[in-house]
Amino acid sequence: MKDADKKRLLREMIFFRRFEDRCFEAYMERKIGGFLHLYSGQEAVATGVLDMARTGQGEKNDYVITGYRDHIHAIKTGAPAREVMAELFGKETGSSKGRGGSMHIFDASQNFMGGYALVGQPFPLAAGLAMGAKHKGTDQIAICFLGDGANNQGTFHETLNMASVWNLPVLFVCENNGYAIGTHIDRSTAQPEQYKRVDTAYNIKSSQHDGMNIETVLKEAKKAIDYVRKEQKPYFIEFMTYRFRGHSMSDAKGYRTRDEELEWEQRDPIKNFSKNLIKEGLITEQDIKAMEKEIDDEIENDIIKFAEESPEPKVEELTRYVLDDNPDPRWVGPLQK
Amino acid sequence: MAETAYWEAIRRAHDEEMARDKMVIAMGEDIGVAGGTYKATLGLYDKYGEDRVIDCPISENSYTGIGIGASMVGMRPIIEIMSINFALLALDTIVNAAAKIRYMSGGQLQCPIVMRTPGGTAHQLAAQHSARLARMFMSTSGLRVVTPRGPLDAYGMLKSAIRSNDPVIIIEHEQMYNLKEDIPEEEFFRSLEGAEVVREGTDITLIGYNYSVHLCLEAAKRLEADGISAEVVDLRALKPIDRETIRESVEKTHNVLVAEEDEAPVGVGSEIITGIIEDCFFALDSQPVRIHAADVPVPYNAKLEKAAIPHADDVYQGALKVLGKI
């Protein structure tokens, strides 16, 4: 990896952490409503995988889809951060024009195909995106990020089976943070090693890796993405990770011990990557402090400002986007007598 | 014009649309090699191949979801669900995904899928193969729900549904697949909206949809023999409902009956009669009546089954009741 890339990735991960921290504050200030699920702790997974995916090419991007913990996946795929924040503020300028909120960020222009609140629902949608790409003869792949909790839904089993039978180019990224909302994986899942649930059962290659180390994620994601694109087959990659905050804002984290949290905090992907870069002499502590300051300024003076100052959707437009707003009268017009 | 069975009409629409646009695909259980439970895709596997006529495993929720995902990137999947009872397994992807993705994304994405499924009571198929469930889909924002009563609409509405940019649920009926009708040989489309007066009359309006239109037509013939002129309205679309055509008919006849094969609570009849009360209450000369199934799971025993669902005679008797003749 090039030195410039290392510094860029560190900056991105710090940005993602600070972005989510600022969401937390905005939620406390009641600027953000509804449910809010923050990604802090898991940054290396989305950052690393999506750095290896095809992004930045608009409609040629790989398709990305995920669950409700979706802000960072959207931004890393290419959704402007200020639009994501505006969405959280419920504004017309938001990623989904204020109709979706935190759990439903979409940016179709970047092939970010959405965040979904039904656990496990993105599995089949992702396979369908892959089917579409394959049918059109492009070499795009679909990347589906979901947590370990989603793997106990029927859609996991049904979709992995079909993705394998039909050779669909989809990468299933399992972000195993050990908890299905507030229930530990050992208490909910007969086989806690997620990657073992797919290889013999569905004839899909799979592997498990450290999701707290950005360099590991980059290396393993590249191999998996290359495989899916080249072989036109699904792959299942599991990253062991941890969320530093609760499942959502209403979560008091009573289901896990402080010792466990401290143990995982030692593996903080940002702290450890920072340490490595300092050790390698690429960056100093002061540089990181300056970087953090610059990011905070950007978040406050650009992103939050944009979200604050943007208009809300018009109530007169409440019923837009339910159905096609400009349907062809041949299919839905007045009935010919 | 060519005499065409309901199933042949559906097959023809598939064939023409698949020949025109390679983004149109068919998905479902046993629709390919086996030719389809209702023959709706007979021969198309050989013509278009396994990538376009896709035999699915018995995983309704996820293959419907895969179709929805494919539709988000430009494909036009026609998904057959063998029985509407099994569509309950796919409710999550239909109701929570297909119906909401356009809205949740602020209009950025659309899900132009067609889901075809028969809903109705056939011959002693018992409780888990006899449900109607139209009411479940018509209560969901973001869907279109249509109920072709014969080959003309079965062909023309499927053609429109494939080209429409909205998710469309087409509710068919196991008793109608062999129903025949003359339909034009040249290509045509039938709107996914709009009720239709299928028989004109002046004394009472009989409203039906899907199979119950035929019960209404049969009852209308018997009423005619009694000197009563019944108008029959086919709703055609349950979402959105064409309230204007209903109002015009009720303002003409001043009496109304709604026939549905489904159970009554929170159903099509409740919705239609509420609309009539809101739109033209003072045009009514009598209390509206609903003819509907008994509020029971459909029984296996033939006698019990017959007693559970409405027949043309029930519509006839209901009409006489509305008009104060009995």
Side-chain angles (χ1 to χ4, degrees):
Chain A
M1 201 190 339
K2 285 185 202 137
D3 292 348
D5 281 335
K6 287 185 182 175
K7 278 198 255 188
R8 173 180 60 80
L9 288 163
L10 177 65
R11 191 189 193 283
E12 285 182 13
M13 287 202 292
I14 294 173
F15 177 87
F16 296 149
R17 179 75 56 88
R18 305 297 260 212
F19 183 91
E20 295 288 69
D21 287 349
R22 188 62 184 85
C23 291
F24 181 93
E25 286 169 25
Y27 190 86
M28 302 312 279
E29 296 162 4
R30 299 185 179 232
K31 295 279 168 62
I32 297 175
F35 287 126
L36 181 69
H37 308 80
L38 301 174
Y39 196 60
S40 312
Q42 302 183 203
E43 293 90 349
V45 182
T47 309
V49 172
L50 291 171
D51 211 62
M52 290 296 135
R54 185 181 299 153
T55 58
Q57 297 180 37
E59 63 179 23
K60 291 181 182 164
N61 283 357
D62 288 332
Y63 296 107
V64 179
I65 191 165
T66 186
Y68 41 76
R69 203 180 301 285
D70 59 351
H71 312 164
I72 301 311
H73 303 80
I75 297 170
K76 180 65 183 161
T77 304
R82 61 199 329 232
E83 292 179 12
V84 174
M85 189 63 84
E87 185 61 32
L88 305 182
F89 279 51
K91 299 300 181 73
E92 181 70 20
T93 55
S95 307
S96 307
K97 299 194 168 68
R99 270 72 166 179
S102 166
M103 298 183 283
H104 310 302
I105 306 289
F106 285 81
D107 190 336
S109 71
Q110 300 298 321
N111 288 350
F112 183 73
M113 307 305 274
Y116 296 82
L118 274 294
V119 176
Q121 191 181 68
F123 285 124
L125 299 180
L129 300 171
M131 179 190 271
K134 187 165 186 165
H135 194 82
K136 288 193 265 188
T138 76
D139 70 342
Q140 289 159 295
I141 68 167
I143 304 178
C144 177
F145 290 88
L146 284 172
D148 48 294
N151 298 349
N152 288 329
Q153 286 281 21
T155 48
F156 170 80
H157 302 277
E158 293 181 359
T159 302
L160 265 64
N161 179 54
M162 284 182 273
S164 183
V165 171
W166 297 338
N167 291 318
L168 299 179
V170 52
L171 175 64
F172 298 103
V173 181
C174 175
E175 302 195 50
N176 186 345
N177 65 20
Y179 288 89
I181 313 178
T183 300
H184 191 269
I185 194 164
D186 289 345
R187 296 180 57 235
S188 67
T189 306
Q191 172 52 274
E193 308 271 4
Q194 300 302 300
Y195 76 105
K196 291 183 182 168
R197 300 175 76 184
V198 302
D199 46 6
T200 52
Y202 302 114
N203 212 5
I204 292 177
K205 286 197 174 172
S206 66
S207 54
Q208 183 192 61
H209 313 280
D210 180 5
M212 301 300 268
N213 182 328
I214 181 81
E215 294 184 81
T216 306
V217 176
L218 289 162
K219 191 175 80 185
E220 299 301 335
K222 180 169 186 347
K223 280 194 262 178
I225 288 169
D226 287 348
Y227 171 87
V228 171
R229 204 183 308 280
K230 184 160 168 284
E231 302 294 326
Q232 291 285 296
K233 277 183 185 174
Y235 190 91
F236 181 94
I237 193 163
E238 176 183 12
F239 288 110
M240 306 308 288
T241 185
Y242 201 75
R243 58 171 156 70
F244 290 166
R245 293 188 182 276
H247 166 73
S248 73
M249 293 295 285
S250 54
D251 176 353
K253 298 193 285 181
Y255 47 82
R256 59 192 203 189
T257 63
R258 190 64 195 132
D259 283 350
E260 180 184 289
E261 288 178 357
L262 288 171
E263 199 179 302
W264 279 92
E265 280 168 24
Q266 295 302 309
R267 297 173 61 184
D268 184 329
I270 296 174
K271 277 189 199 150
N272 288 331
F273 195 46
S274 301
K275 269 190 218 157
N276 288 352
L277 298 201
I278 291 170
K279 219 182 283 171
E280 290 174 34
L282 290 177
I283 204 164
T284 65
E285 291 224 24
Q286 287 84 335
D287 293 338
I288 293 172
K289 286 262 176 313
M291 197 185 262
E292 287 170 349
K293 169 82 175 59
E294 193 184 286
I295 287 168
D296 287 346
D297 287 347
E298 182 192 341
I299 290 174
E300 216 50 48
N301 302 332
D302 179 41
I303 293 169
I304 291 285
K305 188 165 183 283
F306 176 76
E308 291 264 23
E309 291 175 358
S310 288
E312 295 199 55
K314 294 190 187 110
V315 174
E316 304 84 79
E317 296 196 341
L318 173 68
T319 57
R320 272 187 83 178
Y321 314 125
V322 176
L323 294 171
D324 185 354
D325 290 313
N326 293 300
D328 188 319
R330 284 176 294 175
W331 332 134
V332 296
L335 187 62
Q336 302 300 312
K337 303 288 175 193
Chain B
M1 301 290 267
E3 189 181 64
T4 307
Y6 197 100
W7 69 267
E8 289 172 319
I10 297 169
R11 188 199 167 283
R12 181 182 149 194
H14 273 87
D15 193 8
E16 288 176 8
E17 292 300 299
M18 292 183 75
R20 175 187 62 88
D21 180 0
K22 87 175 187 80
M23 300 306 271
V24 179
I25 58 167
M27 302 175 71
E29 292 156 9
D30 277 4
I31 66 158
V33 172
T37 308
Y38 311 106
K39 299 188 284 188
T41 49
L42 190 67
L44 301 183
Y45 179 89
D46 291 333
K47 192 165 174 184
Y48 299 105
E50 63 176 4
D51 292 335
R52 293 187 64 200
V53 181
I54 303 171
D55 278 317
C56 295
I58 302 170
S59 307
E60 286 85 359
N61 193 24
S62 296
Y63 72 66
T64 303
I66 289 175
I68 293 165
S71 78
M72 290 162 70
V73 292
M75 295 188 74
R76 299 268 162 175
I78 310 161
I79 300 164
E80 177 177 292
I81 304 262
M82 206 183 272
S83 157
I84 202 165
N85 297 260
F86 313 158
L88 293 181
L89 288 155
L91 271 187
D92 174 52
T93 40
I94 296 166
V95 176
N96 278 320
K100 294 176 181 165
I101 283 172
R102 182 191 292 277
Y103 199 85
M104 297 197 296
S105 69
Q108 293 179 77
L109 292 170
Q110 60 186 21
C111 301
I113 57 149
V114 180
M115 189 191 91
R116 299 177 34 249
T117 185
T121 303
H123 298 290
Q124 290 191 269
L125 301 181
Q128 294 188 332
H129 279 77
S130 304
R132 284 70 45 153
L133 300 175
R135 54 192 174 155
M136 196 167 286
F137 294 102
M138 70 186 278
S139 65
T140 301
S141 300
L143 297 179
R144 290 184 174 278
V145 182
V146 298
T147 55
R149 70 172 179 275
L152 187 83
D153 269 351
Y155 166 86
M157 291 177 107
L158 176 53
K159 296 268 291 186
S160 296
I162 293 165
R163 304 222 192 167
S164 155
N165 293 325
D166 297 315
V168 183
I169 310 294
I170 302 183
I171 299 175
E172 299 164 0
H173 195 294
E174 298 209 23
Q175 302 267 43
M176 292 200 296
Y177 286 112
N178 287 316
L179 199 144
K180 291 190 173 77
E181 192 176 20
D182 280 334
I183 69 172
E185 285 171 73
E186 60 276 15
E187 180 177 67
F188 65 95
F189 298 90
R190 295 277 289 167
S191 178
L192 300 171
E193 293 185 2
E196 186 172 29
V197 176
V198 290
R199 179 194 167 110
E200 298 217 11
T202 52
D203 299 332
I204 183 169
T205 300
L206 308 178
I207 299 175
Y209 62 95
N210 187 275
Y211 190 61
S212 73
V213 176
H214 301 285
L215 305 183
C216 292
L217 287 168
E218 205 180 316
K221 263 190 219 162
R222 285 182 62 189
L223 290 165
E224 189 176 24
D226 293 348
I228 296 165
S229 164
E231 177 146 300
V232 177
V233 174
D234 175 6
L235 292 172
R236 295 182 69 256
L238 298 181
K239 190 158 190 76
I241 287 170
D242 173 7
R243 290 168 65 149
E244 190 55 26
T245 299
I246 297 168
R247 187 184 60 76
E248 279 171 17
S249 182
V250 172
E251 284 180 345
K252 180 165 77 165
T253 65
H254 308 288
N255 299 288
V256 66
L257 172 152
V258 182
E260 59 190 315
E261 202 193 283
D262 212 339
E263 293 107 50
V266 203
V268 178
S270 330
E271 183 57 34
I272 297 299
I273 291 172
T274 303
I276 290 168
I277 289 168
E278 288 172 340
D279 294 347
C280 54
F281 177 75
F282 293 105
L284 289 170
D285 283 347
S286 61
Q287 281 185 41
V289 161
R290 286 182 291 178
I291 298 298
H292 52 81
D295 198 2
V296 296
V298 177
Y300 163 71
N301 174 276
K303 265 191 201 163
L304 291 180
E305 182 188 65
K306 187 161 181 264
I309 56 168
H311 305 277
D313 186 56
D314 298 308
V315 178
Y316 170 73
Q317 301 289 343
L320 293 180
K321 193 178 147 202
V322 171
L323 297 170
K325 308 276 187 191
I326 49 170

